[in-house]
Amino acid sequence: MEPRNPVVRVRRFGGPDALEVVDAPLPTAGRGEVRVRVLASGLEYTDVLIRRHLYPQTAARRPPFVLGYGVVGEIDQLGDGVSGLQLGNRVADMTVVGSNAAYRTLRADRLTRVPADLDAAEAATLILSWTTAYQLLHRAARVRPGQRVLVQGAAGAVGQALLALGRLAGLELWGTARGEHAALVRELGASPIDYRREDFTRVLPGGFDVVFDGIGEEGYRRSFAALKRGGLLCAYGYSAGVQAQRRMLTMLMWIARLYLWRWLPGGKRGRFYSINVMRARHPAWFREDLERLFGLLATRAIRPRVAERISFSEVAEAHRRLEAGGLDGKLVLCPDLPSQRDRVPP
Ligand SMILES: NC(=O)c1ccc[n+]([C@@H]2O[C@H](COP(=O)([O-])OP(=O)(O)OC[C@H]3O[C@@H](n4cnc5c(N)ncnc54)[C@H](OP(=O)(O)O)[C@@H]3O)[C@@H](O)[C@H]2O)c1
């Protein structure tokens, strides 16, 4: 009998109740493709943007379509013309959509090998959040040891990765987070700033060398104000705009304005980083950086936090938790996990 292929589908754009889990046909690997049995697929804040129709890269898609930004899987079928890969190999890819599934097909020439002894859920966290953080630090900002760096949303998925990788790069770090996450931020090697009580623009009178901002409070204005002369603001997200139910056009205007600010006196610069734009321009960097992160995970030089492994039956609730905030690690869909109802309590 053919295995089942449950998938997480966006039925219409909107809230978490717009998601449904349905059985899709088992896909077949075409020429140049492999089919994988999915071992883990991260649930991302970016999935919330896609579901709410606030994500430029997927704006042209019409529901129904399957969510799932990244995948770690085991090859169970090879299409024609695929060489250098074997059944049973573990591989990863960033797919933007389509990976919250039990099986899916992938283009063989886009795959990154995953060392067999890595935990699949931990490996899945590296695909979007940690590769973003790595590229923000080393490709976009090109940080140097000793630089003073502020990370907005430091307890979030990308924020935690920025702190951990920033510490390895020898940076002096500060991180904004809700007060309850101060110990976590400190554990990751940074000075915590409670974003509900403290004004981060006053923490370092001389200003920061670099600010990383995936939140976009006040259209990035205050992050820009917190820079020293000649400093760099790397924006990469606009969660605050999503929370305030702004339209996509408003957020795109915030991004365009970042590039105009460089003409203001003070020599400060702003830019927007997108993992998809960088991958399109430099495909080799994406694989190189993800492989490096898998290597760091293998030696436990980095320890991504998996808050919870999620079954298909818990995905809608997981999306509610993503939107509510307060998480201190990643939620990862693990298709092999029995549904919550069938799980034996520990
Ligand atoms: N450009 C790219 O290539 C790229 C790649 C990955 C992600 N992103 C985007 O980057 C953003 C962050 O992603 P993520 O996966 O790290 O999300 P996440 O895990 O939800 O983290 C966001 C963090 O920001 C915190 N936060 C919310 N409002 C804040 C404020 N006013 N000041 C400081 N912190 C605040 C949240 O804290 P609380 O728990 O206290 O609410 C949470 O810890 C998202 O918008 C995502 O779409 C962009």
Side-chain angles (χ1 to χ4, degrees):
M1 205 175 68
E2 270 206 349
R4 282 181 58 223
N5 183 28
V7 299
V8 177
R9 219 161 59 165
V10 176
R11 196 155 34 97
R12 57 178 161 74
F13 291 120
D17 54 342
L19 296 175
E20 60 182 4
V21 178
V22 295
D23 276 342
L26 194 67
T28 303
R31 190 168 178 78
E33 290 182 341
V34 302
R35 185 176 69 198
V36 292
R37 185 171 70 81
V38 177
L39 302 172
S41 175
L43 299 173
E44 311 289 348
Y45 193 83
T46 308
D47 294 331
V48 170
L49 269 55
I50 295 173
R51 164 166 59 67
R52 291 199 173 275
H53 206 203
L54 292 171
Y55 195 60
Q57 284 97 323
T58 54
R61 280 184 184 268
R62 289 288 164 265
F65 61 87
V66 178
L67 275 186
Y69 213 100
V71 56
V72 170
E74 193 173 81
I75 298 180
D76 87 322
Q77 191 182 59
L78 295 166
D80 287 343
V82 174
S83 58
L85 290 165
Q86 290 177 350
L87 297 183
N89 284 165
R90 279 189 176 199
V91 291
D93 194 14
M94 185 179 76
T95 58
V96 184
V97 292
S99 291
N100 288 172
Y103 290 86
R104 68 157 298 155
T105 53
L106 297 166
R107 264 177 52 189
D109 60 358
R110 286 173 65 90
L111 298 177
T112 304
R113 299 280 198 134
V114 183
D117 50 347
L118 293 189
D119 175 81
E122 287 186 348
T125 68
L126 303 186
I127 299 169
L128 176 62
S129 316
W130 285 70
T131 306
T132 295
Y134 187 89
Q135 295 199 327
L136 278 166
L137 289 163
H138 297 291
R139 305 289 191 187
R142 299 187 186 188
V143 293
R144 294 182 306 281
Q147 282 188 314
R148 297 173 151 192
V149 172
L150 174 66
V151 173
Q152 301 282 19
V158 180
Q160 287 189 29
L162 279 166
L163 294 188
L165 295 170
R167 178 150 76 163
L168 291 180
L171 305 179
E172 196 178 341
L173 294 156
W174 284 258
T176 59
R178 61 173 73 187
E180 301 94 285
H181 285 151
L184 168 66
V185 171
R186 221 173 270 120
E187 194 186 306
L188 290 165
S191 305
I193 303 170
D194 182 342
Y195 69 79
R196 289 168 166 167
R197 291 166 198 265
E198 292 171 71
D199 179 356
F200 61 81
T201 62
R202 292 170 180 269
V203 167
L204 199 61
F208 295 95
D209 291 290
V210 183
V211 177
F212 294 108
D213 189 347
I215 311 298
E217 284 284 1
E218 294 180 31
Y220 309 110
R221 271 200 191 87
R222 294 177 63 238
S223 283
F224 198 74
L227 290 172
K228 72 171 196 189
R229 284 182 81 80
L232 174 69
L233 166 62
C234 275
Y236 63 94
Y238 40 77
S239 305
V242 177
Q243 285 154 17
Q245 303 195 350
R246 302 295 183 103
R247 289 174 313 146
M248 187 155 48
L249 189 64
T250 308
M251 271 92 83
L252 291 174
M253 275 162 54
W254 292 352
I255 292 168
R257 199 174 51 194
L258 279 175
Y259 290 87
L260 299 177
W261 284 343
R262 68 181 56 201
W263 303 107
L264 296 173
K268 303 179 189 179
R269 289 159 303 134
R271 62 173 293 188
F272 193 85
Y273 162 89
S274 151
I275 195 167
N276 292 299
V277 172
M278 191 161 277
R279 188 179 189 181
R281 288 197 188 139
H282 304 283
W285 285 0
F286 178 82
R287 182 178 288 137
E288 215 176 284
D289 297 344
L290 184 54
E291 269 172 2
R292 182 165 297 138
L293 290 168
F294 286 149
L296 290 172
L297 179 58
T299 60
R300 303 307 282 168
I302 55 172
R303 294 168 185 269
R305 293 167 82 100
V306 176
E308 206 172 318
R309 292 155 205 259
I310 301 290
S311 69
F312 279 106
S313 66
E314 299 160 292
V315 168
E317 182 53 27
H319 270 242
R320 283 185 196 101
R321 292 166 68 189
L322 278 171
E323 287 197 70
L327 286 167
D328 65 358
K330 297 273 296 190
L331 302 175
V332 181
L333 173 69
C334 296
D336 286 342
L337 212 59
S339 81
Q340 202 176 23
R341 221 182 28 235
D342 303 334
R343 235 177 276 164
V344 184

